[in-house]
Amino acid sequence: MKFARSHFIFSKWKTVLAASALSLALTACGGTTSTGTQSPQGTSASSSDTLKVGMILSATGTFAPLTESIRNGFQLYLDQHNGMLGGRKVEIKFEDDQEDPQVALRKYRQLVSSDKVDILVGPISSAVAYALRDGVEKDKIVLIDPNAAANDLSWKQKSDYIYRVSFSNWQNGSSVAKYIAQNIGKSAVTIAPDYPAGREVIQAFKAAFEASGGKVVKELYPKLGTNDFATYLTTIAQTKPDVVYSFETGSDGIRFVKQYADFGLKGKIPLTGTLELGDNLILDPAGDAAEGIISGVLYTPWLENNVNQTFVTSYQKKYNKLPNIFAVDGYDAAQVIDLAITKAGSTRSDDLIKVLKGISFNSPRGPVTIDPKTNNPIENFYVAKNVKLDGKIVPQVSQTIPNVTMPETPSPAAQ
């Protein structure tokens, strides 16, 4: 029954998107459009002041596909608001941190000291986020984090100047652990890249999985940027767990999913994982190899809400493809800056941080509130299984996990 309903929703969305595309095409020929051009609170964009946004992301390496999506989402929001945020014309200064904390520190100094940006957006890597944290705190410049999920940015290293609009490693790792333990298997092998985010995600999964009656029997940590997973797949096959739980993202994730199937493990040992394994960024290039994976997703293009419908239609029109969660994160980074400046009536950091704490906004993924206790979003996650519908692999949502909230302090195991 769940499959049938999901198929209905998917088919319904195809109809809606087709109708929306036709409407936009007519608009381009002289019709009207309902796409908003006002700031979220209806403020006219009349100021001639320029807002300098320093964007520091990873345009080379494993995370390059994420950067493209984040920039696409951010630009789409600007397009829908006459290139303005909070009534200011936006000028973007972009820097590639190359996934390297030392490079990131150099690029950060360029943006803050030489380019004198008003606000920062970035980074992607948790390791880079930790490296930038002290500089941001010292310089008292607001950083809107569209992806880096480092847990300690919400705990011991929390800063009044850093606000995350995406998710934390704790949320990504723990969201579906209980479901997996109760519905798929009790013994698990985990695999994640050997860097801060990989360790934190697995730590969160292990704590929640074992609290629900499961047992992690082996943890595997290949280096970030691994091309050949054969050694790790051999270990999984020899261990014979009930289930494999994976956090692999970007190009690493695509390679891992394909090699898992090529190695003959698909269909023998259930593959589960974080939101990345249910996202279009991996599903589209991985194709049939991704079928059957169960994950805890934060977003799919088929979520039913008005904001998402407009977002998906506009994104498809501009980029000729469906959006993924990272595009949503970029879109929401722009949206929260717009809301904060409008609400504060200022671009000064000390004014912005007063309104960023507890700010709420309607994202394509649903309602989101920045928890003032952690500067991290309170948001829904979804249990999803990748299924093949009309020749395309899509995440089919079966359960909603509402208002997933990061704890204010780490559990003893995470300290």
Side-chain angles (χ1 to χ4, degrees):
M1 293 299 290
K2 291 175 181 175
F3 179 89
R5 181 176 183 275
S6 178
H7 186 274
F8 168 75
I9 292 172
F10 181 70
S11 300
K12 178 184 173 185
W13 258 96
K14 288 174 62 182
T15 304
V16 169
L17 293 177
S20 299
L22 176 60
S23 174
L24 288 167
L26 291 173
T27 298
C29 294
T32 59
T33 177
S34 60
T35 300
T37 57
Q38 299 287 310
S39 68
Q41 297 184 346
T43 303
S44 296
S46 58
S47 171
S48 60
D49 292 345
T50 297
L51 177 73
K52 285 189 177 181
V53 177
M55 192 172 282
I56 185 166
L57 299 168
S58 306
T60 53
T62 298
F63 299 137
L66 283 67
T67 291
E68 178 187 356
S69 295
I70 289 171
R71 295 182 75 177
N72 284 351
F74 196 95
Q75 185 60 50
L76 178 62
Y77 189 90
L78 288 179
D79 290 352
Q80 292 176 338
H81 297 80
N82 294 331
M84 296 187 178
L85 297 178
R88 272 80 166 174
K89 195 70 177 178
V90 172
E91 177 184 347
I92 296 177
K93 299 284 187 180
F94 179 82
E95 293 290 348
D96 176 13
D97 62 30
Q98 301 173 33
E99 303 175 358
D100 185 326
Q102 293 306 311
V103 173
L105 286 169
R106 201 165 60 244
K107 298 297 181 69
Y108 167 83
R109 190 48 58 195
Q110 167 73 28
L111 290 169
V112 174
S113 300
S114 299
D115 296 329
K116 298 189 183 306
V117 299
D118 298 298
I119 195 166
L120 289 164
V121 173
I124 288 179
S125 163
S126 290
V128 170
Y130 282 137
L132 296 183
R133 186 268 175 201
D134 287 351
V136 169
E137 178 77 9
K138 180 181 178 182
D139 295 326
K140 300 185 186 306
I141 184 168
V142 170
L143 183 147
I144 302 300
D145 175 1
N147 185 79
N151 285 338
D152 227 20
L153 292 180
S154 292
W155 291 337
K156 292 180 181 177
Q157 298 193 52
K158 177 186 170 187
S159 167
D160 282 343
Y161 298 93
I162 299 176
Y163 295 85
R164 184 157 41 214
V165 297
S166 51
F167 52 90
S168 69
N169 289 324
W170 183 91
Q171 289 172 304
N172 201 15
S174 64
S175 63
V176 295
K178 181 178 180 180
Y179 176 89
I180 293 171
Q182 294 181 347
N183 295 278
I184 302 177
K186 297 294 186 185
S187 66
V189 168
T190 62
I191 181 167
D194 189 11
Y195 80 123
R199 298 277 177 174
E200 290 181 355
V201 165
I202 296 306
Q203 192 174 51
F205 170 78
K206 183 177 181 179
F209 184 68
E210 295 190 344
S212 301
K215 178 67 178 176
V216 172
V217 296
K218 191 175 289 293
E219 300 178 29
L220 303 174
Y221 293 100
K223 69 177 182 179
L224 191 65
T226 292
N227 288 315
D228 186 352
F229 288 92
T231 300
Y232 305 97
L233 295 171
T234 298
T235 300
I236 290 170
Q238 292 173 341
T239 305
K240 298 179 181 178
D242 293 339
V243 61
V244 172
Y245 181 83
S246 170
F247 166 62
E248 295 289 349
T249 188
S251 50
D252 283 18
I254 298 166
R255 286 191 291 268
F256 176 73
V257 169
K258 286 183 173 179
Q259 291 176 30
Y260 194 89
D262 291 343
F263 204 79
L265 292 177
K266 178 188 173 188
K268 294 182 179 177
I269 303 175
L271 179 58
T272 65
T274 56
L275 63 87
E276 288 81 1
L277 296 192
D279 191 81
N280 291 339
L281 193 66
I282 287 180
L283 302 194
D284 289 346
D288 288 353
E291 186 176 10
I293 296 173
I294 293 174
S295 61
V297 301
L298 188 53
Y299 172 76
T300 87
W302 298 277
L303 287 180
E304 292 185 301
N305 65 69
N306 292 335
V307 176
N308 190 40
Q309 181 176 331
T310 301
F311 172 72
V312 171
T313 301
S314 301
Y315 194 92
Q316 280 199 308
K317 179 175 183 289
K318 183 173 178 62
Y319 301 110
N320 195 33
K321 59 184 176 182
L322 286 169
N324 54 48
I325 179 57
F326 307 103
V328 173
D329 291 340
Y331 188 86
D332 286 341
Q335 179 175 195
V336 83
I337 293 172
D338 193 9
L339 278 167
I341 294 175
T342 301
K343 192 172 182 179
S346 167
T347 60
R348 293 181 65 252
S349 294
D350 287 343
D351 294 329
L352 293 176
I353 64 175
K354 293 176 184 175
V355 301
L356 283 166
K357 293 181 184 297
I359 200 168
S360 296
F361 55 95
N362 290 317
S363 166
R365 75 192 109 141
V368 177
T369 295
I370 303 299
D371 187 347
K373 297 177 180 176
T374 57
N375 294 352
N376 189 70
I378 300 171
E379 56 197 333
N380 296 341
F381 273 71
Y382 308 91
V383 178
K385 182 177 182 178
N386 297 338
V387 298
K388 193 169 188 177
L389 291 174
D390 297 333
K392 182 179 176 63
I393 302 298
V394 301
Q396 179 190 52
V397 173
S398 61
Q399 287 188 21
T400 298
I401 308 167
N403 300 320
V404 177
T405 304
M406 191 174 185
E408 189 173 354
T409 57
S411 66
Q415 291 179 320

